[in-house]
Amino acid sequence: MHNYPFVLHKFVTGKYDVELVLPETWQAKDLFDQLQKNLIEFSKWLVWANKIDSVQKEVDSIKQFQQKMVDGTAFNLVILVDEIPAGMIDLHDLNSESGEVGYWLSNDFQHLGIMTESVEFLKKYAFEQLGLKYLILRTHPQNFASQNVAKRSGFEYQKIDDNGHKKFILKNNVRRTETWN
């Protein structure tokens, strides 16, 4: 059976075709496999990484993501690289003014510009479609790759937060104007 994802954004980087798609349960096994393959590295930065210890828990997570999207408290996307789920990007703690950016990507596809391009799309969506005033991005103090993505995407370092993470902010400098035809 071939799955047809709902694609929100696509781009090419190097030799890879990348698509940002809505999360669906058929992606769970591949996402779980990527998490397991990268678990040692991811567990340094992502507090939840060790909690996803079965494909079923990944399925449950995807269902939670879908419900949060329906509720309007999150916006989640799966990153497909050559049609294979390789990571995720999201806006969580979403409200009428702000959202917090989170992401992860398999080590196989890091340092290719995939995450920076994905964050750029998410920024545009957050500001132009959702009308958010600002975005927050937090990183572990030693996660320099993630901090570089934040900086390349225009986020400005603010401070160390109460959990010991580096907090970055990006303000929406674009005024939203409604047009009626």
Side-chain angles (χ1 to χ4, degrees):
M1 178 176 122
H2 188 76
N3 297 296
Y4 297 96
F6 188 88
V7 179
L8 276 85
H9 183 62
K10 60 179 11 181
F11 59 96
V12 175
T13 182
K15 63 181 180 176
Y16 298 106
D17 290 318
V18 181
E19 298 172 310
L20 303 181
V21 304
L22 292 178
E24 299 181 49
T25 56
W26 64 265
Q27 301 155 342
K29 180 170 182 343
D30 288 322
L31 289 170
F32 176 74
D33 290 347
Q34 293 291 358
L35 286 170
Q36 291 303 298
K37 185 167 89 172
N38 295 275
L39 190 59
I40 292 171
E41 181 70 15
F42 287 176
S43 63
K44 294 178 194 174
W45 320 125
L46 307 169
V47 295
W48 53 264
N50 288 315
K51 295 177 184 171
I52 306 296
D53 57 6
S54 69
V55 173
Q56 185 57 51
K57 284 191 180 174
E58 186 63 38
V59 168
D60 295 343
S61 292
I62 289 171
K63 288 178 181 178
Q64 288 176 0
F65 299 151
Q66 291 168 333
Q67 186 58 54
K68 287 180 179 184
M69 289 174 70
V70 169
D71 296 343
T73 59
F75 179 69
N76 297 73
L77 296 172
V78 171
I79 302 167
L80 300 182
V81 178
D82 292 338
E83 300 183 356
I84 304 296
M88 296 189 77
I89 186 167
D90 79 321
L91 286 172
H92 53 276
D93 296 334
L94 197 54
N95 59 57
S96 62
E97 291 196 0
S98 69
E100 188 163 333
V101 177
Y103 48 77
W104 65 268
L105 183 65
S106 173
N107 286 335
D108 294 342
F109 305 108
Q110 292 182 12
H111 309 292
L112 299 171
I114 292 172
M115 195 51 72
T116 298
E117 175 70 23
S118 299
V119 170
E120 288 298 321
F121 171 78
L122 198 65
K123 281 173 29 184
K124 185 174 181 174
Y125 183 84
F127 292 150
E128 294 179 11
Q129 297 296 316
L130 300 178
L132 299 183
K133 294 180 181 174
Y134 64 96
L135 296 174
I136 300 166
L137 193 156
R138 298 175 203 271
T139 71
H140 186 282
Q142 300 302 312
N143 190 342
F144 302 115
S146 189
Q147 291 167 33
N148 287 334
V149 169
K151 291 172 187 173
R152 279 193 301 275
S153 298
F155 284 79
E156 293 183 14
Y157 172 73
Q158 298 293 301
K159 64 179 182 177
I160 298 288
D161 70 12
D162 294 339
N163 293 320
H165 291 97
K166 286 191 170 187
K167 181 178 177 181
F168 295 82
I169 300 281
L170 179 66
K171 293 180 182 174
N172 183 356
N173 295 323
V174 179
R175 290 218 164 146
R176 227 176 128 189
T177 56
E178 298 291 330
T179 58
W180 301 95
N181 294 333

